[in-house]
Amino acid sequence: MALTKDTISPFIIGTMRLGTWGSQLSTTEYEKFIEGCLELGLVDFDHADIYGHYTTEEDFGNVLKSRKDLRDKMRITTKCGIKLISENRPNHKIKSYDLSAKHILESVDLSLSNLKTDYIDVLLLHRPDYLFNPYEIAEAFATLKKEGKVLGFGVSNFTPSQFDLLYSLTPLVTNQVEISILHRNAFEDGTLDQCQKLKVIPTAWSPLGGGSLFGKTSTPEIEAIKKVLDSLGKKYNAAHDQLLYAWLRKHPSGIVPVLGTSKLERINTAHQALSIDLTHEEWYMLWEAALGREID
């Protein structure tokens, strides 16, 4: 299944917190979670080789090993390029980034083995390696494409200039960056402008601001945002998280939030937010609250 603006799910299912870094789902629980997402039409699952200290891909793959029928119903994105210090990678002496062709090719083979699949729908470079050679990466991508191991490619956390450099040599389908009401850099640093210009899909990790708006943390900024959310919630009969998803999706670049929950009820709640269409002024009400002042 190709990844395009017309086919991508309205939300991407993040897997980072499903395993040892979060809910520690059993294989049976993974299967139930996957099926629940697919029933909602959410077919895009977002992985990274490092999740769960290099264990979450395999946990997910154990479901696909016994339920081969599920693979063709979903799209799998995974990432590589970060080298963590981990007992599962004893040869890593320090945390570093590595986007050499050798590391990319080896990472893909490991991900394919762990996920129990013959191909990855989308491979993302997880972080920009300060030493990355775009020509070498383009060649690695071409090799993976020719071998049928990866169908499409993208990046994560790349600046517009880094994206432009790599995009000039090889097609890219997305830039996955942090975007939320509390982290608005992408609106102003050219990231979303670039996505619109190139018709590339921007995907947003930590779309709820890392949970800061739902915890005990209280700042003037957070209180102002909550006040606006309370007001809009009455109009739309919507929860705070639903309104924040609607706020992101309002942007014409077509931001697709990556959901970081392992609870199907929260996935379903997010899905219900698709019916919310904030007005232009309502969007700016939230922007102003986060900014702490009237816009210039």
Side-chain angles (χ1 to χ4, degrees):
M1 292 186 287
L3 181 67
T4 68
K5 287 184 181 293
D6 295 326
T7 63
I8 191 171
S9 302
F11 295 100
I12 294 173
I13 306 302
T15 64
M16 186 173 74
R17 302 296 182 192
L18 301 184
T20 60
W21 282 0
S23 298
Q24 302 184 46
L25 300 184
S26 66
T27 301
T28 299
E29 289 169 332
Y30 264 101
E31 183 176 352
K32 181 179 178 181
F33 179 79
I34 292 169
E35 288 183 320
C37 294
L38 294 176
E39 286 172 5
L40 290 171
L42 302 179
V43 303
D44 288 284
F45 292 83
D46 180 84
H47 288 265
D49 56 355
I50 63 170
Y51 289 170
H53 278 285
Y54 302 95
T55 65
T56 302
E57 284 184 329
E58 186 172 10
D59 291 342
F60 193 95
N62 286 336
V63 176
L64 300 184
K65 182 179 180 180
S66 60
R67 288 290 308 278
K68 299 186 187 310
D69 60 300
L70 293 176
R71 181 61 184 96
D72 289 339
K73 299 176 182 178
M74 66 173 65
R75 259 189 305 264
I76 293 178
T77 291
T78 197
K79 311 179 205 63
C80 69
I82 299 177
K83 298 171 73 172
L84 290 185
I85 300 173
S86 171
E87 62 180 15
N88 295 314
R89 294 293 186 276
N91 58 319
H92 295 177
K93 304 305 180 185
I94 62 169
K95 181 182 178 182
S96 62
Y97 304 141
D98 187 348
L99 296 183
S100 64
K102 180 176 184 293
H103 184 72
I104 292 172
L105 296 174
E106 289 177 350
S107 296
V108 168
D109 283 341
L110 281 172
S111 290
L112 290 172
S113 176
N114 288 332
L115 288 163
K116 308 296 189 295
T117 184
D118 296 326
Y119 67 97
I120 293 165
D121 294 276
V122 183
L123 176 71
L124 305 185
L125 305 181
H126 206 161
R127 291 276 179 179
D129 171 8
Y130 297 114
L131 302 177
F132 85 81
N133 181 329
Y135 298 93
E136 183 178 334
I137 291 172
E139 289 181 7
F141 283 1
T143 297
L144 291 168
K145 183 85 169 180
K146 182 179 179 180
E147 293 176 347
K149 294 179 178 179
V150 181
L151 305 186
F153 303 89
V155 297
S156 183
N157 304 300
F158 271 46
T159 66
S161 62
Q162 291 166 337
F163 187 97
D164 185 61
L165 175 59
L166 188 56
Y167 186 87
S168 68
L169 299 173
T170 186
L172 301 172
V173 299
T174 189
N175 191 3
Q176 184 179 118
V177 297
E178 183 177 8
I179 317 174
S180 72
I181 190 68
L182 296 178
H183 193 94
R184 304 178 300 281
N185 295 8
F187 294 98
E188 300 184 297
D189 66 8
T191 296
L192 297 180
D193 300 334
Q194 182 179 57
C195 286
Q196 289 191 85
K197 177 182 178 181
L198 300 176
K199 297 183 178 180
V200 165
I201 301 165
T203 54
W205 62 268
S206 196
L208 299 180
S212 297
L213 289 161
F214 304 92
K216 297 180 180 179
T217 302
S218 180
T219 66
E221 172 189 38
I222 288 175
E223 291 307 311
I225 293 170
K226 285 183 176 179
K227 185 176 180 180
V228 175
L229 290 172
D230 286 340
S231 175
L232 294 176
K234 293 176 183 177
K235 174 182 176 180
Y236 291 99
N237 189 28
H240 286 191
D241 58 341
Q242 293 175 314
L243 292 164
L244 292 171
Y245 292 135
W247 187 80
L248 288 176
R249 290 179 51 80
K250 179 74 173 178
H251 195 272
S253 63
I255 298 169
V256 180
V258 179
L259 305 181
T261 181
S262 62
K263 300 183 184 302
L264 281 174
E265 57 266 31
R266 292 188 64 185
I267 300 286
N268 188 58
T269 296
H271 193 263
Q272 292 170 5
L274 297 177
S275 63
I276 301 172
D277 184 15
L278 299 176
T279 68
H280 215 83
E281 284 194 340
E282 288 168 346
W283 192 93
Y284 273 100
M285 286 168 62
L286 283 165
W287 182 279
E288 182 180 84
L291 191 63
R293 58 175 173 80
E294 185 180 79
I295 63 171
D296 296 332

